Amino acid sequence: KTEIEGLPTSDITAFDLYTHAKNLNLPGSFNNPEKKELLEQADLLSQAIGRDPSFFQAYCLLTWDHDQLYFYGFDHTPARLALAETAVETALRLRPDAGEAHLARAENLYRGYRNYNRALAELEIARHTLPNDARILQLMAFIQRRQGHWEESTRNLERALELDPRGTFTLQQMAWQYVFVRRYAEAKPLLARLLAIEPMHVGTELLLASIDFRSKADDRPLHQMIDSIRFTNPAAIPKIVEPWLHFALAKRDAAAARAALQASREDSINLGGDVYFSRRFIDGMISKMSGDHVAANVAFAAARIEQERAVQAQPEFAPAWCALGLTDAMLGRKEEAVSEGRRAAELLPVEKDAFTGPEMLGYLAMIDAWTGKKELACQQLAFALRFQGQGDSLSYGKLKLLPFWDPLRGDPCFEQIVASLAPSGN
């Protein structure tokens, strides 16, 4: 009651700036954050605390914002991490006993430092003043899956859903959790619940339509949903670029892939997981798929220049090394490609992150495949699949249909791996 009745700030302008920032990117919002919005949010929050240096909630949100920019590789630099650290230290100084401050510290320890044990300890402190807050259980679940504790992670998300049964973010994350652990059938009713709360939400519609693509290599529901959105909701087309590209590449439809690429408003595109590729790389992949090797090499060469800059700016960010390695593999720079793929796996080993670490091994397997090391590629892929949580980036549908795995088509070892992931009856 005291918390509700208290004024967050006496400066009306500062509060307006904070509210605008919160509406851009709210922790626990349905959509993944975007770089442009995160940077705008940071600017608005900085203005807010410039007007009121005691604005506690603004510091908590600013911590989250800086951590997101760092964690997702939009600005994976020590300078960005230092900004997050300064914001959370100020929040703790202003209100050392507040659960919100310890929740912010837990986020910072998790996303900024991957210090999972200390983050969990901070969450225990936060629980004393936020005993029924679903956000605490959500973050616990996210940390536990990085530790490889998938059963505990799933239970905590299920508890969070009990506390927040109509929370769109909680429902979305529970659905994704089931996708990650290949419990695809259980994800579908959760997504139907989401659509009942928020009808015609494009992200939910596409995730539901893509379940069969992931689990059965059946692209028909995804195709139908993409066409429906394109023709009935043109304003949403930029939001469907990733699944549209997946579908077009799976069908080897160069025209559709180029249309999807053209619809993107971003400089880099996420094709699932944590690795982003430049537009030039995607362009090169489309040309290669079409048999135009000259155009492909031109595009890959341009993509390499961009990706090398990204690695130089963020040398400790593993996904950037994956993208560089795969680009070099496409250019025939075999030794460099393998070295870069291994660097990614070293920076983010499965012991450090049991969720994204196996994805790095999956990309190393892909790089090995494109550099002619088929046996090693199969070994790396089989090892990556030993870890739970790969029902998205290394799903049956993606392995069976996407051209990234084409060098291994027909290889008995690879075909056996793909068959092992097929749903019963296939």
Side-chain angles (χ1 to χ4, degrees):
K1 186 172 182 292
T2 303
E3 182 73 22
I4 292 169
E5 292 177 348
L7 290 174
T9 177
S10 58
D11 189 309
I12 298 299
T13 302
F15 186 73
D16 283 344
L17 289 164
Y18 169 77
T19 302
H20 185 190
K22 192 164 70 167
N23 289 337
L24 280 174
N25 264 310
L26 183 66
S29 63
F30 191 86
N31 296 309
N32 287 333
E34 295 182 359
K35 180 180 180 179
K36 181 181 177 182
E37 291 179 345
L38 286 169
L39 290 172
E40 184 179 352
Q41 183 181 51
D43 180 61
L44 291 167
L45 291 168
S46 296
Q47 292 180 54
I49 61 178
R51 294 186 63 89
D52 181 1
S54 63
F55 196 164
F56 170 76
Q57 288 94 333
Y59 285 107
C60 290
L61 185 55
L62 186 57
T63 301
W64 178 88
D65 183 277
H66 289 315
D67 283 333
Q68 296 288 308
L69 284 162
Y70 183 83
F71 186 77
Y72 286 103
F74 299 130
D75 184 11
H76 194 84
T77 62
R80 183 62 62 180
L81 192 56
L83 290 170
E85 188 73 23
T86 299
V88 74
E89 285 179 355
T90 305
L92 284 163
R93 177 175 54 79
L94 288 170
R95 294 178 58 184
D97 298 325
E100 293 281 355
H102 290 281
L103 178 58
R105 169 58 89 188
E107 281 270 5
N108 177 245
L109 288 165
Y110 163 54
R111 299 195 185 278
Y113 300 95
R114 296 182 186 272
N115 191 328
Y116 305 137
N117 290 332
R118 281 191 61 198
L120 289 171
E122 288 292 331
L123 288 176
E124 286 300 321
I125 297 172
R127 289 178 84 167
H128 292 301
T129 53
L130 301 171
N132 295 310
D133 196 316
R135 293 174 300 170
I136 291 175
L137 290 167
Q138 288 164 6
L139 186 53
M140 287 178 66
F142 299 160
I143 293 168
Q144 287 164 336
R145 68 190 184 196
R146 302 275 172 184
Q147 294 176 313
H149 303 153
W150 282 93
E151 290 184 10
E152 296 93 326
S153 173
T154 301
R155 281 199 298 270
N156 273 321
L157 276 176
E158 288 169 344
R159 292 190 192 108
L161 192 58
E162 291 172 3
L163 290 172
D164 188 21
R166 289 182 59 81
T168 56
F169 180 74
T170 309
L171 278 163
Q172 180 215 43
Q173 290 303 309
M174 190 71 255
W176 269 115
Q177 184 87 347
Y178 287 144
V179 169
F180 293 146
V181 297
R182 295 190 167 84
R183 291 165 61 177
Y184 300 108
E186 292 172 77
K188 287 185 174 183
L190 289 177
L191 295 169
R193 279 173 60 182
L194 261 172
L195 287 172
I197 296 169
E198 195 169 356
M200 298 180 67
H201 188 283
V202 171
T204 308
E205 290 177 329
L206 285 169
L207 178 54
L208 180 58
S210 71
I211 295 291
D212 286 352
F213 179 88
R214 289 176 166 88
S215 62
K216 303 177 184 178
D218 181 358
D219 58 26
R220 289 171 296 180
L222 183 59
H223 186 192
Q224 292 168 3
M225 183 55 64
I226 289 169
D227 281 352
S228 173
I229 293 169
R230 286 175 59 206
F231 294 118
T232 63
N233 189 7
I237 288 177
K239 299 179 182 179
I240 70 171
V241 167
E242 179 190 327
W244 191 4
L245 273 171
H246 272 126
F247 169 76
L249 292 173
K251 300 297 285 186
R252 306 303 196 272
D253 186 338
R258 292 197 189 283
L261 184 59
Q262 187 175 4
S264 175
R265 296 173 181 168
E266 303 298 323
D267 294 330
S268 57
I269 296 169
N270 177 255
L271 289 179
D274 287 348
V275 181
Y276 284 74
F277 292 95
S278 71
R279 298 173 67 94
R280 298 308 301 271
F281 178 90
I282 304 296
D283 187 40
M285 198 69 207
I286 297 168
S287 295
K288 192 176 188 71
M289 184 179 71
S290 305
D292 190 344
H293 299 293
V294 173
N297 285 336
V298 170
F300 287 135
R304 189 188 191 282
I305 294 171
E306 296 174 10
Q307 195 59 41
E308 190 172 32
R309 287 183 190 138
V311 165
Q312 289 171 349
Q314 304 179 127
E316 302 301 311
F317 189 55
W321 283 98
C322 280
L324 181 60
L326 191 56
T327 304
D328 272 336
M330 296 298 178
L331 287 167
R333 297 164 58 98
K334 296 182 179 182
E335 291 184 10
E336 295 94 331
V338 172
S339 175
E340 289 149 1
R342 287 177 180 166
R343 178 60 179 153
E346 290 167 0
L347 283 169
L348 203 57
V350 292
E351 296 83 7
K352 187 176 182 179
D353 187 335
F355 182 46
T356 305
E359 183 190 348
M360 301 298 99
L361 292 176
Y363 273 101
L364 180 55
M366 198 182 294
I367 290 167
D368 285 333
W370 283 98
T371 55
K373 303 176 185 295
K374 294 186 179 183
E375 184 177 351
L376 184 57
C378 281
Q379 291 174 2
Q380 293 282 10
L381 180 58
F383 182 67
L385 285 166
R386 287 172 53 187
F387 297 89
Q388 269 192 294
Q390 300 308 302
D392 174 35
S393 59
L394 296 177
S395 67
Y396 171 68
K398 289 185 178 181
L399 290 173
K400 186 175 179 64
L401 298 177
L402 292 181
F404 300 105
W405 298 101
D406 280 359
L408 297 178
R409 303 280 170 220
D411 183 278
C413 177
F414 177 74
E415 298 299 341
Q416 184 177 0
I417 290 172
V418 174
S420 71
L421 299 173
S424 57
N426 278 27

